[in-house]
């Protein structure tokens, strides 16, 4: 499903990586150019915990990457976020505090599998800055490919 890109350079960039010492992780990885869709990127959301593991495909465009940056701004301001909610494909929710006294990442795939997974993850203090760097790396690597909007 990848086209038009040297897979050794820009593919396989993490857009998000939430993980802790308990073995819980949620990762969003850009896989490469989205076949048949100009300006789109193929990505996947991967959940891996000692209890459950799964993955779901995700399509990204510049507008979705911009909205991820805006979501990081809201998180930094202390707000919970819903990213890609009410759009085609999976949704990502981040609750800054949960029943387990740590952030919780929720992956909801209402369209295909109709499964929701909640993953409590103890995150380091600089996790938002780290995610801004990941977003910047994806934008730099794929800027020429992404559609203008």
């Amino acid at each position: 499903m990848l086209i038009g890109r040297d897979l050794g350079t820009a593919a396989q960039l993490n857009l998000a990586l939430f993980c802790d010492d308990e073995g819980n992780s949620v990762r969003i990885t850009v896989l490469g150019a989205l076949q048949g869709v100009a300006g789109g990127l193929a990505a996947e959301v991967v959940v891996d915990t000692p209890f459950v593991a799964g993955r779901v495909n995700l399509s990204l465009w510049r507008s979705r990457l911009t909205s991820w940056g805006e979501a990081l701004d809201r998180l930094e301001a202390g707000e919970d976020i819903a990213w890609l909610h009410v759009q085609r494909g999976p949704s990502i929710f981040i609750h800054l505090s949960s029943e387990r006294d740590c952030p919780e990442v929720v992956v909801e795939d209402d369209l295909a599998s109709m499964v929701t997974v909640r993953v409590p993850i103890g995150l380091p203090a600089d996790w938002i800055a780290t995610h801004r760097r990941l977003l910047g790396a994806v934008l730099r690597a794929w800027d020429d490919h992404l559609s203008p909007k």
Side-chain angles (χ1 to χ4, degrees):
M1 296 232 352
L2 307 177
I3 61 167
R5 195 52 115 158
D6 174 9
L7 298 181
T9 58
Q12 301 292 311
L13 286 175
N14 285 328
L15 175 63
L17 179 58
F18 306 98
C19 58
D20 65 18
D21 295 337
E22 303 297 319
N24 296 320
S25 70
V26 176
R27 166 175 55 84
I28 302 170
T29 303
V30 174
L31 302 173
L34 187 59
Q35 185 175 10
V37 180
L41 297 174
E44 67 180 355
V45 180
V46 178
V47 174
D48 190 19
T49 76
F51 177 68
V52 66
R55 67 184 59 227
V56 63
N57 292 329
L58 175 66
S59 299
L60 296 172
W61 294 270
R62 187 177 303 274
S63 62
R64 287 183 170 189
L65 296 171
T66 299
S67 72
W68 176 240
E70 293 165 354
L72 291 172
D73 292 343
R74 290 193 309 278
L75 287 163
E76 191 168 51
E79 298 175 35
D80 294 344
I81 62 104
W83 185 54
L84 305 178
H85 188 58
V86 297
Q87 295 187 20
R88 288 188 69 99
S91 300
I92 308 292
F93 302 86
I94 300 175
H95 305 284
L96 293 173
S97 59
S98 70
E99 296 174 7
R100 292 176 177 80
D101 294 325
C102 66
E104 179 180 69
V105 179
V106 179
V107 179
E108 192 173 273
D109 181 34
D110 282 342
L111 188 63
S113 68
M114 295 183 280
V115 170
T116 299
V117 178
R118 297 178 179 281
V119 183
I121 301 178
L123 296 171
D126 65 345
W127 71 273
I128 293 175
T130 298
H131 281 84
R132 288 188 194 285
R133 287 190 296 276
L134 293 172
L135 173 59
V138 168
L139 289 170
R140 283 188 301 279
W142 289 99
D143 187 59
D144 292 343
H145 174 78
L146 290 164
S147 59
K149 292 185 179 184

